[in-house]
Amino acid sequence: MHRYSENETQTSQLSQTQIDLALLFMSDPHVNGRSLYRIQGGRPFWVCYEADGRIQERSYFSALSWRALMLFALEDCREFKVLEMDEPGRMTELFPEAVMRQLEENAKARCDTVPVLKLIDPKGSATVIVTRSRCNGHAVDILHNLDNGRPVFQAVWISDLLRLDAKIGMKLIRDESFAPIMPIGAYIEAAALTGRIAGEDEISVLPLIGRVPRLRLPESAATVQRIFDHQCRKYPALEQLRARTIYEDYGL
């Protein structure tokens, strides 16, 4: 994770990137009741990235292996940019430059922002609504129903969303018809009210009152928790983030 300066440690001033990393360590995406990092099988996950001016390609079976490489690069403050994942053209198709700019603008706004895009499983009922970016564009905030249809609002690595294809054969696509006008708070409140992710037409007629609940997160995998515990021992200032949630970055 982030390497603290002496001043940061003394004053416990945490940057947004540090907060983003802590949130990503304290939760991980669950699919059909299981952490993505506990699901075995599937095919290797291909990535193409640029590190310190060199373009490299690698394939991973372990989701944590790719996460570790990326975090080491971020910790060392290296120039690190993901170019493609899963297969050529896939990442830029789901997250083109214009979409990433919108997600970054939402991240700066710190209000009840209107979501930017929706990803769906054309062969199933999975829905992923993406609202803002985190961690220099490597992660995003999403409202999704991947965990047995139960609505969850959390920060996830973009690599985890694209890895669903290699891991369980779920190849998400962009919902080109998605034209949201309501803020993410309305989607969250509707999800808590109905127990599922409601469509835009349904949300417009639901008796919403503007009180946005906090949807329950599944417990993160032990491996992910241990990484955060280790970082807290190295940098005690991180302890103050244990109780923090994604909701603190929104004006809900």
Side-chain angles (χ1 to χ4, degrees), residues 30 144-152 195-196 215-218:
H30 281 56
H144 67 89
N145 64 350
L146 298 171
D147 190 24
N148 286 326
R150 182 170 60 90
V152 177
R196 53 186 170 76
L215 301 175
R216 187 176 65 86
L217 274 175

Side-chain angles (χ1 to χ4, degrees), residues 34-43 61-62 166-168:
R34 298 188 65 193
S35 166
L36 179 64
Y37 305 119
R38 290 182 177 141
I39 298 175
Q40 302 298 318
R43 58 177 169 80
F61 271 107
S62 169
K167 194 57 115 173
I168 62 172

Side-chain angles (χ1 to χ4, degrees), residues 55-166:
I55 295 178
Q56 302 185 52
E57 295 185 41
R58 293 192 182 183
S59 294
Y60 297 90
F61 271 107
S62 169
L64 287 174
S65 295
W66 167 246
R67 171 183 281 203
L69 183 147
M70 183 166 56
L71 288 173
F72 286 143
L74 293 174
E75 182 182 26
D76 291 339
C77 301
R78 294 164 53 195
E79 291 294 326
F80 186 83
K81 180 180 181 181
V82 177
L83 303 176
E84 275 299 346
M85 293 180 173
D86 189 41
E87 61 184 38
R90 175 136 165 76
M91 188 182 77
T92 50
E93 179 181 358
L94 293 186
F95 295 93
E97 187 175 335
V99 166
M100 294 305 295
R101 281 199 302 268
Q102 286 182 278
L103 292 173
E104 184 59 32
E105 288 301 314
N106 277 6
K108 295 175 182 177
R110 293 182 173 275
C111 62
D112 192 2
T113 54
V114 175
V116 176
L117 76 155
K118 178 193 288 186
L119 307 177
I120 58 173
D121 176 12
K123 298 180 180 179
S125 58
T127 299
V128 177
I129 296 175
V130 189
T131 188
R132 58 160 278 174
S133 69
R134 285 189 185 271
C135 207
N136 301 320
H138 294 290
V140 290
D141 289 353
I142 62 172
L143 173 65
H144 67 89
N145 64 350
L146 298 171
D147 190 24
N148 286 326
R150 182 170 60 90
V152 177
F153 187 46
Q154 67 180 142
V156 301
W157 298 102
I158 287 177
S159 58
D160 287 345
L161 292 176
L162 273 70
R163 189 181 176 83
L164 291 172
D165 184 23

